[in-house]
């Protein structure tokens, strides 16, 4: 991989932290350049090299709106808005912000996040959003649970098309590019994966057992060129009704290790886990207590790019907020600390009402084997008072998934040469010129469900 991300666990020099916290990214960059000219321990050198890219990404793309711009956006969006509200939201941690050159700036999706997570602000929208799609999606999930319990399983064939294109202002026709799109991988619930069409012709399609599976295009970029792939697969999910009394006395010892920097057994997380478990020894009840903690205490929130967070699991447990992937990584970390095997799964959520990126987790309990936990879907159900759906997503999953990844922060096959837009996950794809990898702000990514067929 372009970086060995485990070096993010190395602490930064104090003066770099001071400059970064003030938002003097130019000054921090210059200091890092100066330090890298010195003889340093190899671990510190690698940490500083990573930090160069982190401050570049944070400073350019992630926090574009100052107080004046953000207040204007709030006034144009919400009824009866008062300017002091933004200050209160900042002081109570309900909007994401940081300093840039000593001035407060707000995260690029702060407004969307406020509407999604704060019901009182959603109710005050000047232009009401159409909630019919969200209502139908929730109805679809409820119907899925009913069918799963009645039949004991569901089996569907899904046909998808995904595409990626560089935005016009960043297009450089005539240059060689390497482009990646995620593909369904061989895993517990997936079979009969078929590649239907690639445009242009693919240079390489990674094996089905790849940890982060992709199709790769390597070609000379044409004007207005779109890279796309169509594929189909069969997804079968079995319903499991977990009974703590049936848990085996002997549990397996795989998938229990740290994976720095994000699956890290820190002293704070040890204290949190001890409080959660309160002496419990049954593995199903332990996993459920961890699930309950995250789904009731860690509020859903849009995130800045994962690459800019030093330790995702601890971030979630300290700030008590995070999106689907942040919550999944915290669950995996706490389960492993509790001697419950746990691992990652991610890709797309795919249904007739919505298709988009999503992350979830798996955990292992003998004699049941690998089980699922969807923390953000479970937490959303709990907040909406749907306890049946909250309980369902501990142990079970719906059929509306395209899993492309079974691990975080692993190389593609073939490897990307430049820094990935997302070095942790693989949901949207990647695009690079010979001398530059592009961030998602420079790209248009589309994911489309073509067809879904229920199989008996």
């Amino acid at each position: 991989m372009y970086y060995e991300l485990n070096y993010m666990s190395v602490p930064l020099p104090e003066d770099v932290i001071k400059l970064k916290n003030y938002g003097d990214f130019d000054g921090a960059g210059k200091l890092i350049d100066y330090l890298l000219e010195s003889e340093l321990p190899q671990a510190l050198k690698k940490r500083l090299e990573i930090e160069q890219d982190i401050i570049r990404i944070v400073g350019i793309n992630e926090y574009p709106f100052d107080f004046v711009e953000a207040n204007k956006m709030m006034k144009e969006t919400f009824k009866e808005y008062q300017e002091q509200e933004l200050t209160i939201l900042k002081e109570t941690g309900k909007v994401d912000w940081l300093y840039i050159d000593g001035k407060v700036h707000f995260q690029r999706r702060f407004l969307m996040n406020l509407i999604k997570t704060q019901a009182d602000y959603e109710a005050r929208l000047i232009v009401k959003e159409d909630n019919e799609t969200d209502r139908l999606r929730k109805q679809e999930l409820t119907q899925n649970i009913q069918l799963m319990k009645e039949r004991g399983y569901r089996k569907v064939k899904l046909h998808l098309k995904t595409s990626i294109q560089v935005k016009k202002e960043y297009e450089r026709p005539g240059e060689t590019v390497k482009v990646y799109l995620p593909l369904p991988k061989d895993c517990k619930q997936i079979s009969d994966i078929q590649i239907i069409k690639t445009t242009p012709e693919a240079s390489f399609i990674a094996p089905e057992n790849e940890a982060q599976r992709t199709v790769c295009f390597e070609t000379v970029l044409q004007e207005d060129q779109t890279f796309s792939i169509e594929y189909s697969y069969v997804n079968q999910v079995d319903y499991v009704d977990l009974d703590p009394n049936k848990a085996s006395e002997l549990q397996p010892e795989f998938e229990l290790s740290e994976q720095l920097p994000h699956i890290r057994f820190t002293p704070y997380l040890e204290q949190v886990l001890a409080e959660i478990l309160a002496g419990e020894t049954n593995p199903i009840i332990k996993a459920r207590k961890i699930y309950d903690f995250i789904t009731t205490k860690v509020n859903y929130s849009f995130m800045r790019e994962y690459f800019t967070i030093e330790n995702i699991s601890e971030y979630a447990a300290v700030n008590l907020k995070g999106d689907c992937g942040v919550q999944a990584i915290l669950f995996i970390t706490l389960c492993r600390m509790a001697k419950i095997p746990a691992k990652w799964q991610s890709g797309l959520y795919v249904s007739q009402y919505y298709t988009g990126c999503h992350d979830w987790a798996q955990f292992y309990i003998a004699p049941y084997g690998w089980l699922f936990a969807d923390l953000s879907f479970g937490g959303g159900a709990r907040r909406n008072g749907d306890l049946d759906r909250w309980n369902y997503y501990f142990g079970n999953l719906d059929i509306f998934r395209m899993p492309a990844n079974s691990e975080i922060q692993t190389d593609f096959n073939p490897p990307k040469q430049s820094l990935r837009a997302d070095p942790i996950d693989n949901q949207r794809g990647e695009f690079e010129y010979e001398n530059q990898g592009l961030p998602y702000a420079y790209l248009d990514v589309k994911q489309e469900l073509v067809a879904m067929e229920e199989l008996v």
Side-chain angles (χ1 to χ4, degrees):
M1 190 169 248
Y2 187 79
Y3 286 129
E4 295 178 62
L5 294 182
N6 59 297
Y7 286 106
M8 287 182 68
S9 298
V10 175
L12 287 170
E14 181 182 41
D15 286 345
V16 173
I17 293 173
K18 290 176 183 176
L19 292 166
K20 182 179 178 180
N21 288 345
Y22 184 75
D24 184 358
F25 300 120
D26 287 339
K30 290 175 182 176
L31 177 56
I32 290 172
D33 288 339
Y34 170 75
L35 292 171
L36 287 173
E37 293 175 356
S38 310
E39 290 189 13
L40 299 173
Q42 187 71 3
L44 180 57
K45 179 180 178 182
K46 288 183 177 293
R47 176 67 181 90
L48 289 169
E49 289 171 348
I50 294 172
E51 190 62 28
Q52 286 179 313
D53 275 317
I54 290 175
I55 61 176
R56 175 181 58 81
I57 291 168
V58 172
I60 294 175
N61 300 315
E62 285 295 314
Y63 294 84
F65 307 118
D66 64 17
F67 237 116
V68 173
E69 293 170 307
N71 255 321
K72 183 174 182 290
M73 294 166 68
M74 296 282 286
K75 187 174 182 179
E76 292 171 348
T77 304
F78 300 113
K79 299 174 185 175
E80 301 176 356
Y81 174 70
Q82 303 294 320
E83 287 196 3
Q84 69 268 22
E85 290 182 51
L86 186 57
T87 299
I88 295 169
L89 289 167
K90 168 185 168 290
E91 291 174 347
T92 55
K94 293 180 180 177
V95 291
D96 187 10
W97 64 275
L98 55 62
Y99 288 115
I100 297 181
D101 294 327
K103 296 181 179 179
V104 171
H105 279 65
F106 295 90
Q107 208 266 346
R108 58 188 171 83
R109 295 194 293 173
F110 86 95
L111 200 61
M112 292 171 56
N113 193 60
L114 200 58
I115 295 167
K116 181 177 177 65
T117 62
Q118 304 296 320
D120 53 336
Y121 277 93
E122 182 185 16
R124 289 169 54 193
L125 283 169
I126 294 173
V127 179
K128 288 287 186 181
E129 294 185 335
D130 180 11
N131 291 324
E132 181 64 10
T133 298
D134 189 53
R135 186 189 69 80
L136 290 171
R137 189 171 69 86
K138 289 176 181 176
Q139 179 179 293
E140 184 179 54
L141 293 175
T142 298
Q143 291 172 345
N144 174 76
I145 295 172
Q146 292 170 347
L147 288 170
M148 289 285 285
K149 290 181 176 181
E150 288 172 7
R151 301 176 185 172
Y153 77 99
R154 282 189 79 182
K155 187 176 183 180
V156 295
K157 182 175 182 179
L158 295 124
H159 176 182
L160 276 73
K161 179 180 179 180
T162 64
S163 64
I164 191 168
Q165 181 179 19
V166 63
K167 292 180 179 178
K168 193 68 177 177
E169 59 266 40
Y170 306 108
E171 185 182 64
R172 286 148 51 178
E175 292 194 25
T176 298
V177 294
K178 189 181 286 186
V179 180
Y180 299 80
L181 283 168
L183 280 177
K185 68 171 271 96
D186 178 43
C187 56
K188 174 184 171 79
Q189 68 269 44
I190 302 301
S191 63
D192 193 23
I193 301 168
Q194 302 291 329
I195 307 300
I196 298 170
K197 182 181 179 181
T198 69
T199 305
E201 184 177 352
S203 302
F204 185 77
I205 296 174
E208 291 184 2
N209 63 351
E210 205 72 47
Q212 293 195 347
R213 192 181 183 214
T214 59
V215 56
C216 177
F217 305 90
E218 191 165 5
T219 186
V220 174
L221 185 65
Q222 300 175 19
E223 190 172 352
D224 298 322
Q225 187 169 17
T226 298
F227 298 83
S228 67
I229 183 165
E230 287 189 51
Y231 53 83
S232 67
Y233 58 97
V234 172
N235 185 12
Q236 178 172 330
V237 181
D238 299 323
Y239 177 67
V240 180
D241 187 7
L242 287 174
D243 182 353
N245 294 320
K246 293 181 180 179
S248 299
E249 290 186 11
L250 294 177
Q251 293 292 325
E253 296 185 355
F254 47 73
E255 300 287 0
L256 293 176
S257 62
E258 291 182 290
Q259 186 180 358
L260 301 181
H262 301 302
I263 301 175
R264 184 179 175 192
F265 306 162
T266 67
Y268 172 66
L269 289 182
E270 288 175 352
Q271 293 177 24
V272 170
L273 182 63
E275 185 176 339
I276 292 170
L277 299 183
E280 181 60 57
T281 59
N282 184 288
I284 293 177
I285 298 175
K286 287 199 296 183
R288 179 65 201 231
K289 282 176 170 283
I290 294 168
Y291 176 86
D292 288 355
F293 170 78
I294 296 172
T295 55
T296 61
K297 298 292 191 296
V298 180
N299 296 313
Y300 187 89
S301 176
F302 294 149
M303 299 297 300
R304 64 180 186 266
E305 294 295 345
Y306 285 2
F307 177 58
T308 66
I309 302 172
E310 292 183 1
N311 179 349
I312 289 172
S313 58
E314 191 160 70
Y315 175 97
V318 169
N319 296 286
L320 297 178
K321 65 179 181 179
D323 65 8
C324 55
V326 170
Q327 294 182 18
I329 288 174
L330 177 58
F331 179 81
I332 292 166
T333 304
L334 292 175
C335 279
R336 290 187 180 186
M337 293 172 69
K339 304 303 181 186
I340 299 168
K343 63 182 181 179
W344 177 261
Q345 219 177 62
S346 72
L348 301 177
Y349 176 83
V350 182
S351 81
Q352 60 181 316
Y353 302 115
Y354 171 79
T355 298
C357 303
H358 193 49
D359 310 322
W360 56 98
Q362 291 182 277
F363 63 105
Y364 193 103
I365 304 287
Y368 293 99
W370 283 110
L371 304 159
F372 296 104
D374 191 317
L375 289 305
S376 64
F377 273 34
R382 175 68 166 71
R383 286 190 297 276
N384 291 326
D386 191 336
L387 300 186
D388 190 38
R389 187 147 45 95
W390 177 47
N391 290 324
Y392 177 84
Y393 282 108
F394 174 72
N396 292 283
L397 201 63
D398 54 69
I399 47 109
F400 310 113
R401 307 291 167 126
M402 189 286 281
N405 315 293
S406 56
E407 296 181 28
I408 59 172
Q409 62 198 56
T410 63
D411 262 336
F412 290 160
N413 181 12
K416 194 166 181 276
Q417 298 304 307
S418 57
L419 176 65
R420 279 166 49 174
D422 185 352
I424 311 301
D425 203 2
N426 164 43
Q427 300 167 313
R428 292 170 282 185
E430 296 277 344
F431 195 112
E432 68 179 1
Y433 294 108
E434 288 185 305
N435 66 343
Q436 179 189 14
L438 300 187
Y440 289 121
Y442 294 6
L443 303 171
D444 285 322
V445 178
K446 295 182 180 179
Q447 297 130 351
E448 175 188 359
L449 172 65
V450 178
M452 180 185 296
E453 176 189 359
E454 189 95 20
L455 303 176
V456 178

